[in-house]
Amino acid sequence: MTDLTQEFIESEIEKFKILESSGLACDLSSLDLERWVTAYEGAEKALPAFKACLRWREEHSVDEMMRKPPSANVAKQMISGKAVILPDHLKDDCGRPVMLCNPTKHDKKTKLRDTIEHMIYCLELICDAADRQNIKDMCIILDLNKFGVTDMDYALAKTGLKTLVNYYPERLGALYMINTPAIFHGFYKIIQRWLYPRTKEKIRFVPGKIHIDEWIETGVLPPQLFDPSLTSDPELERCK
C-alpha cells in the first residue's frame, strides 16, 4: 500500500473535480473527496469507482430507504441486536463513532439480500453519525464470543466486505475483534483473502479488556463483551 502525502491528496481532489464534469462532485464534502482519492490512490481510478457507487446506490434505493422509516425486514434485524450503533457521545479514543456487531445473533436462514439491506441501513446510520460530527471514519467492534461453525456465513462475509470497500471507501477506521475463539482461525484464513491491504491493516485482534483499553474507553462498552474465559487465538495474529 502506498503512503499518500497530504499534498498529493489535495492535488488529486482538484483533479477529481475537473474530471467529474457532470457536477456530481459538488455534492461531496471535502472528507468525501479525500476518502475517494485515498482509497483509489488517485483521481483517475477513483472517478469510475465513484460512478459505480452512484449506480449501486440507485439500484439499492439507498437514499430512498434512509428517508423512510425502517422496513419490516430491517426493523426485525435491528431488534436482534446483531448490530448496535452507540450514541454520538460514546466514541473510541480517536473520536470515531462505534458500532458493535455480534455475528452469533445472525440467522443464516435470513435471505442474503435481506441481510445486506440491514447492513446498508446500519452503515448509512453510522456514516451519518460521523458526518454530523465531521469525522472521517468509524470504529467497528466485532464480538466473537461463542462463535461457532454455524456462524460461518462465507457468502455474507464476502458480500459484506465488498460492500464496505467498494461503496463506503475509507469509512472504516478500525475493526476490533473481541473474544476470538480458536475456531475462528479457519474462517478468518479464508475471508482474509478478500481483504484489501489498506483494510487488513485496520483490523486488530484483542485478547481481553486490558488490551482494548489502548484504543477505546471500556467504560462505554457493554461488560458482556469481555469474557475472561476467552482469549484471542495466537494463530490469528500470525494470519494478519
Side-chain angles (χ1 to χ4, degrees):
M1 185 184 69
T2 306
D3 290 328
L4 308 179
T5 66
Q6 191 60 36
E7 181 181 2
F8 173 83
I9 291 172
E10 290 174 0
S11 172
E12 291 301 302
I13 286 175
E14 293 307 312
K15 186 186 295 185
F16 185 99
K17 291 177 181 178
I18 294 171
L19 292 172
E20 211 302 284
S21 56
S22 67
L24 291 172
C26 296
D27 296 329
L28 298 177
S29 69
S30 58
L31 285 179
D32 285 329
L33 290 165
E34 181 178 341
R35 279 188 282 263
W36 280 104
V37 300
T38 299
Y40 291 93
E41 299 184 351
E44 291 186 6
K45 290 182 179 179
L47 185 57
F50 168 67
K51 291 182 176 179
C53 178
L54 292 181
R55 291 192 295 271
W56 173 84
R57 292 182 69 86
E58 185 174 354
E59 290 167 4
H60 288 77
S61 304
V62 176
D63 295 326
E64 181 181 353
M65 176 175 67
M66 300 311 295
R67 285 194 294 266
K68 299 178 179 179
S71 67
N73 165 57
V74 169
K76 179 181 177 181
Q77 296 193 64
M78 294 295 282
I79 293 172
S80 73
K82 65 180 178 182
V84 178
I85 298 171
L86 297 185
D88 285 355
H89 67 282
L90 301 179
K91 306 178 180 68
D92 74 355
D93 67 340
C94 292
R96 295 178 286 227
V98 178
M99 178 162 62
L100 308 180
C101 298
N102 189 330
T104 64
K105 295 183 178 181
H106 166 59
D107 184 357
K108 287 183 69 175
K109 295 179 183 177
T110 305
K111 293 179 181 178
L112 181 60
R113 67 171 180 268
D114 290 340
T115 302
I116 295 302
E117 180 189 10
H118 172 252
M119 177 188 298
I120 293 171
Y121 188 83
C122 291
L123 286 171
E124 287 291 311
L125 286 181
I126 195 167
C127 287
D128 181 64
D131 291 344
R132 286 197 308 270
Q133 302 168 76
N134 200 35
I135 298 169
K136 182 180 178 181
D137 45 27
M138 62 184 168
C139 168
I140 297 177
I141 298 177
L142 196 63
D143 180 12
L144 296 162
N145 190 6
K146 299 181 180 178
F147 183 91
V149 174
T150 58
D151 302 308
M152 297 180 183
D153 193 332
Y154 292 101
L156 175 58
K158 187 173 186 177
T159 306
L161 287 170
K162 177 184 176 181
T163 299
L164 181 64
V165 171
N166 291 349
Y167 308 125
Y168 297 89
E170 291 298 299
R171 282 287 190 173
L172 180 66
L175 171 58
Y176 301 117
M177 304 281 198
I178 305 296
N179 299 327
T180 50
I183 197 170
F184 186 72
H185 165 62
F187 183 69
Y188 183 74
K189 267 200 165 182
I190 293 175
I191 66 173
Q192 70 170 341
R193 302 170 190 169
W194 306 325
L195 295 171
Y196 286 84
R198 190 181 294 278
T199 302
K200 193 174 179 181
E201 72 173 10
K202 297 174 182 179
I203 297 175
R204 299 287 183 273
F205 292 94
V206 185
K209 187 171 182 177
I210 294 176
H211 297 284
I212 200 173
D213 281 343
E214 299 175 18
W215 299 295
I216 191 167
E217 184 182 349
T218 52
V220 308
L221 300 177
Q224 61 267 30
L225 272 178
F226 307 103
D227 184 342
S229 68
L230 293 173
T231 57
S232 290
D233 181 0
E235 288 294 322
L236 288 170
E237 289 296 338
R238 288 196 281 274
C239 288
K240 291 177 61 179

